[in-house]
């Protein structure tokens, strides 16, 4: 027997309206995962996460290994601006369609093939002899990767039924984090045994998994007509938000997008310096713990996130997962006080990765429910860009907080930063029935 759960900010309803949606039956805890769509979303998540570190941490390690001066290595941080600015060209992807595979899969295949090519070209680069050429191709990789993210977010929004959103988000997040592990931790381990050129060629080859997923995926049905002109594509996403959600609803969804993961995102801007310099763990210890304990937390969170939301409802899990993320920062604060304590470190990393998978699943479910298929690429690009402000916009201030409060105070402060986002999550939850 189905039971209903209300959802705030649903697609296609007047401002302020609260509608019901059907959850997955309580029998069959993982039944929602039994579809080709979930496998496709796992592989698309993998394709989305793979390029991320190739233009950031892994690239910094490559440049360090070949003796590039630190001043140029610092510039790598600017390559990721494409992920923050992606909303600027998202309207183009809503308005125009390539002559193959449909509006979403056509663009997705195009950017995935470009990623294979640009990553392979990057493998042929020489960071020391030709740093500017490498910078140009790295920016191209980041642009294609951010564009792929735009389309994947729109694809999920357009194709997932309401009762599938949590499970679909969980499959995507799990694939994304597995790819980040491969292009980050495993790439660094491989660098002790293989040339960097070989590693980057290998990553380019792994992008083919995303291509396969796109080819076997089903194009979302056009339930709503896309924008007719480019001008419409620029204006409609924001006008539609305001007309459907109303002023208060729009403020809530924007505030929720920016603040739900703010504290966790801000803390991540200095997590490696903290572990290396603050509590004196070696890179080997950090890598092993994140690869083993961290992956266990990620896998458990990814496996259970969608099923927990389907069983207990988004209304309960949204706040619960957000609180768990705040607890992660309290564990890091405990680690700062206890010092080089491997057991506390393992506990913190396990909860960190577990809470990331859980909270991101609930977070994406809310964002998808706030968008309309006609312009979902632009609307999701806007909301997901806001979700990174803690690290990409305010991250440079983190060092000043550490200087003022020390490491234990820094992580306590980041836990407290979660409160505004939890208040907004509770505001969402209190508009839903108890149970």
């Amino acid at each position: 027997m189905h039971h209903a759960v209300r959802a705030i900010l649903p697609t296609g309803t007047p401002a302020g309206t609260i509608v019901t949606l059907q959850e997955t039956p309580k029998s069959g805890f993982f039944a929602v995962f039994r579809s080709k769509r979930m496998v496709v979303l796992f592989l698309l998540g993998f394709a989305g996460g793979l390029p991320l570190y190739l233009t950031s941490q892994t690239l910094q390690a490559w440049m360090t290994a070949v003796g590039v001066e630190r001043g140029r290595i610092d510039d790598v941080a600017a390559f990721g601006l494409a992920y923050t600015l992606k909303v600027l060209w998202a309207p183009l992807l809503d308005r125009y369609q390539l002559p193959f595979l449909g509006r979403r899969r056509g663009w997705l295949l195009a950017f995935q093939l470009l990623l294979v090519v640009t990553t392979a070209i990057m493998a042929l680069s020489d960071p020391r002899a030709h740093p500017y050429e490498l910078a140009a191709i790295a920016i191209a990789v980041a642009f294609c990767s951010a564009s792929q993210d735009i389309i994947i977010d729109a694809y999920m929004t357009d194709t997932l039924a309401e009762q599938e959103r949590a499970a679909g988000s969980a499959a995507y997040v799990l694939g994304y984090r597995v790819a980040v592990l491969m292009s980050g931790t495993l790439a660094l381990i491989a660098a002790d045994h293989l040339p960097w050129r070989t590693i980057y060629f290998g990553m380019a080859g792994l992008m083919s998994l995303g291509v396969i997923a796109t080819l076997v995926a089903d194009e979302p049905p056009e339930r709503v007509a896309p924008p007719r002109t480019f001008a419409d594509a620029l204006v409609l996403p924001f006008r539609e938000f305001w007309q459907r959600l109303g002023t208060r609803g729009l403020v809530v969804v924007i505030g929720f997008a920016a603040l739900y993961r703010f504290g966790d995102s801000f803390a991540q801007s200095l997590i490696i310096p903290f572990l290396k310099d603050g509590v004196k763990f070696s890179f080997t210890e950090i890598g092993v713990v994140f690869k083993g304990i961290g992956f266990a937390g990620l896998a458990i969170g990814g496996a259970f996130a969608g099923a927990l939301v389907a069983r207990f409802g988004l209304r309960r899990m949204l706040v619960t997962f957000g609180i768990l993320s705040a607890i992660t920062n309290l564990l890091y604060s405990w680690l700062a006080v206890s010092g080089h304590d491997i057991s506390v470190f393992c506990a913190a990393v396990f909860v960190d990765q577990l809470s990331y998978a859980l909270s991101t699943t609930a977070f994406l479910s809310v964002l998808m429910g706030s968008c309309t298929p006609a312009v979902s690429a632009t609307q999701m690009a806007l909301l997901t860009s806001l979700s990174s402000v803690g690290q990409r916009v305010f991250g440079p201030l983190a060092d000043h907080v550490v200087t003022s409060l020390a490491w234990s105070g820094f992580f306590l402060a980041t836990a407290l930063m979660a409160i505004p986002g939890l208040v907004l999550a509770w505001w969402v939850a209190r508009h839903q029935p108890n149970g």
Side-chain angles (χ1 to χ4, degrees):
M1 178 178 180
H2 290 280
H3 65 288
V5 56
R6 284 183 174 180
I8 187 172
L9 308 176
T11 300
T13 56
T17 301
I18 298 177
V19 300
T20 61
L21 59 95
Q22 295 297 315
E23 288 185 3
T24 300
K26 286 191 175 182
S27 59
F29 195 61
F30 295 101
V32 74
F33 290 102
R34 296 170 190 163
S35 72
K36 181 187 77 172
R37 192 172 296 164
M38 298 302 150
V39 177
V40 167
L41 289 176
F42 174 84
L43 293 176
L44 290 181
F46 185 89
L50 197 67
L52 182 64
Y53 278 10
L54 300 183
T55 57
S56 55
Q57 285 96 323
T58 302
L59 178 57
Q60 288 177 334
W62 183 8
M63 296 173 74
T64 300
V66 297
V68 176
E69 55 268 29
R70 191 167 59 189
R72 287 184 175 176
I73 295 175
D74 290 343
D75 294 338
V76 169
F79 298 166
L81 283 176
Y83 295 98
T84 302
L85 301 176
K86 61 186 179 181
V87 69
L88 296 180
W89 64 91
L92 291 168
L93 307 182
D94 270 328
R95 166 63 184 90
Y96 297 105
Q97 176 176 325
L98 297 178
F100 50 85
L101 294 184
R103 185 164 65 123
R104 299 309 187 198
R105 291 194 306 143
W107 282 116
L108 194 52
L109 180 63
F111 285 120
Q112 288 170 339
L113 293 176
L114 284 172
L115 277 168
V116 173
V117 173
T118 52
T119 304
I121 295 174
M122 199 172 175
L124 298 172
S125 303
D126 187 332
R128 186 175 177 85
H130 304 288
Y132 295 109
E133 289 83 348
L134 176 64
I137 192 61
I139 290 172
V141 171
F143 172 82
C144 293
S145 177
S147 301
Q148 178 187 226
D149 287 351
I150 294 171
I151 301 300
I152 292 176
D153 287 339
Y155 177 84
M156 289 197 299
T157 301
D158 296 354
T159 198
L160 288 173
E162 287 175 295
Q163 69 270 20
E164 293 180 307
R165 285 175 185 156
S169 298
Y172 169 79
V173 169
L174 182 58
Y176 194 97
R177 298 301 289 184
V178 169
V180 166
L181 177 70
M182 294 196 67
S183 63
T185 302
L186 295 184
L188 294 180
I189 294 173
D192 287 333
H193 311 282
L194 298 171
W196 282 102
R197 175 173 295 184
T198 302
I199 293 170
Y200 270 73
F201 271 130
M203 296 300 164
L206 286 173
M207 276 301 304
S208 61
L209 293 176
V211 173
I212 294 171
T214 298
L215 292 175
V216 303
D218 298 318
E219 178 68 12
E222 291 283 2
R223 296 188 297 270
V224 182
R228 295 182 179 180
T229 66
F230 181 59
D232 283 345
L234 289 174
V235 174
L236 182 59
F238 307 97
R239 185 177 64 197
E240 194 277 338
F241 258 154
W242 182 76
Q243 290 177 340
R244 176 164 49 87
L245 305 179
T247 302
R248 184 175 67 171
L250 183 58
V251 170
V252 167
V253 75
I254 289 176
F256 177 80
L259 297 177
Y260 184 68
R261 294 190 52 82
F262 185 93
D264 185 57
S265 179
F266 188 72
Q268 289 302 309
S269 59
L270 285 180
I271 189 65
I272 297 301
F274 162 67
L275 295 173
K276 183 67 172 67
D277 300 328
V279 285
K280 308 301 181 184
F281 286 104
S282 68
F283 281 128
T284 298
E285 289 173 317
I286 294 170
V288 168
V289 171
F290 271 96
K291 185 176 70 171
I293 303 298
F295 184 75
L298 173 66
I300 293 171
F304 281 90
L308 286 170
V309 172
R311 171 65 66 88
F312 299 108
L314 186 60
R315 64 191 183 276
R316 299 172 183 171
M317 296 296 98
L318 189 63
V319 176
T320 302
F321 295 163
I323 292 173
L324 186 61
S325 290
I327 291 173
T328 294
N329 293 326
L330 294 179
L331 286 173
Y332 282 125
S333 183
W334 180 18
L335 180 61
V337 173
S338 61
H340 193 282
D341 188 324
I342 192 68
S343 61
V344 178
F345 179 30
C346 290
V349 169
F350 178 82
V351 176
D352 186 5
Q353 295 300 301
L354 176 73
S355 66
Y356 176 89
L358 294 172
S359 62
T360 303
T361 293
F363 177 70
L364 288 176
S365 297
V366 172
L367 297 193
M368 284 189 284
S370 303
C371 299
T372 189
V375 286
S376 57
T378 302
Q379 290 179 338
M380 281 293 287
L382 171 65
L383 297 178
T384 55
S385 294
L386 288 171
S387 71
S388 67
V389 296
Q391 182 173 0
R392 298 190 187 280
V393 177
F394 292 94
L397 301 177
D399 185 58
H400 300 289
V401 179
V402 174
T403 301
S404 300
L405 303 178
W407 284 112
S408 59
F410 170 74
F411 285 107
L412 176 60
T414 59
L416 295 176
M417 289 176 190
I419 293 176
L422 290 174
V423 170
L424 289 175
W426 178 251
W427 193 94
V428 171
R430 76 187 181 92
H431 284 75
Q432 302 167 19
N434 295 326

